[in-house]
Amino acid sequence: MTTITIGLDESTVQQAEQAARDRRTTLDRLIGDYVDQLAASKTRFQRLAAEWREQAGPLSSSTDRAMLPAYQAIIGMGETALPFIFDEMRQRGGHWFWALRAITGENPVPPEHRGNVEAMTQDWLQWARQRGCI
């Protein structure tokens, strides 16, 4: 079992309680629905990432790897995929830079790190930490 702790300020709690009332449900059920959606997104990401790793294995071109349907589907998940991508980068590394740029519209990698996968990974993980993504 995984335990998730969510810290909310009073204003956010009031907004969530109002949203629950508007939907004629309880805050617990609303949070439960969110957790279910998050779990489904994580499962989808893991399936797509495994498929992408398998298909990308023999490819040397980063463009070819980024054009694979599974990778494109991950990009299509949008910001929902970010914590899963960062977790994957911490555990396995990988060439997630194209997806991160497509999803965030940013590139924290300085010119001197381009081509250095380890340095690029650290740049993105620092970016994520500064924004509370990890």
Side-chain angles (χ1 to χ4, degrees), residues 26-56:
T26 65
L27 184 55
D28 286 344
R29 187 171 186 156
L30 197 64
I31 291 170
D33 290 347
Y34 172 75
V35 170
D36 290 345
Q37 291 171 356
L38 186 61
S41 294
K42 182 175 183 179
T43 299
R44 179 170 186 239
F45 173 84
Q46 289 172 331
R47 180 182 51 78
L48 290 168
E51 181 181 327
W52 174 68
R53 282 191 303 274
E54 182 179 319
Q55 293 173 348

Side-chain angles (χ1 to χ4, degrees), residues 4-20 26-28 30-32 34-35:
I4 298 173
T5 303
I6 301 172
L8 304 172
D9 61 37
E10 187 61 33
S11 172
T12 304
V13 169
Q14 289 172 356
Q15 289 173 353
E17 288 172 340
Q18 183 61 48
T26 65
L27 184 55
D28 286 344
L30 197 64
I31 291 170
Y34 172 75
V35 170

Side-chain angles (χ1 to χ4, degrees), residues 14-113:
Q14 289 172 356
Q15 289 173 353
E17 288 172 340
Q18 183 61 48
R21 282 191 298 276
D22 291 348
R23 294 182 185 167
R24 297 194 173 147
T25 188
T26 65
L27 184 55
D28 286 344
R29 187 171 186 156
L30 197 64
I31 291 170
D33 290 347
Y34 172 75
V35 170
D36 290 345
Q37 291 171 356
L38 186 61
S41 294
K42 182 175 183 179
T43 299
R44 179 170 186 239
F45 173 84
Q46 289 172 331
R47 180 182 51 78
L48 290 168
E51 181 181 327
W52 174 68
R53 282 191 303 274
E54 182 179 319
Q55 293 173 348
L59 301 176
S60 60
S61 164
S62 60
T63 301
D64 289 345
R65 286 192 299 259
M67 291 298 110
L68 290 169
Y71 196 86
Q72 290 297 307
I74 289 170
I75 291 172
M77 292 176 69
E79 291 184 5
T80 300
L82 290 177
F84 309 131
I85 292 173
F86 292 126
D87 191 46
E88 182 83 6
M89 289 177 81
R90 283 195 311 256
Q91 292 181 24
R92 290 191 167 114
H95 293 264
W96 293 102
F97 314 116
W98 188 309
L100 290 168
R101 286 184 70 180
I103 294 168
T104 67
E106 297 192 36
N107 183 11
V109 177
E112 63 271 16
H113 289 177

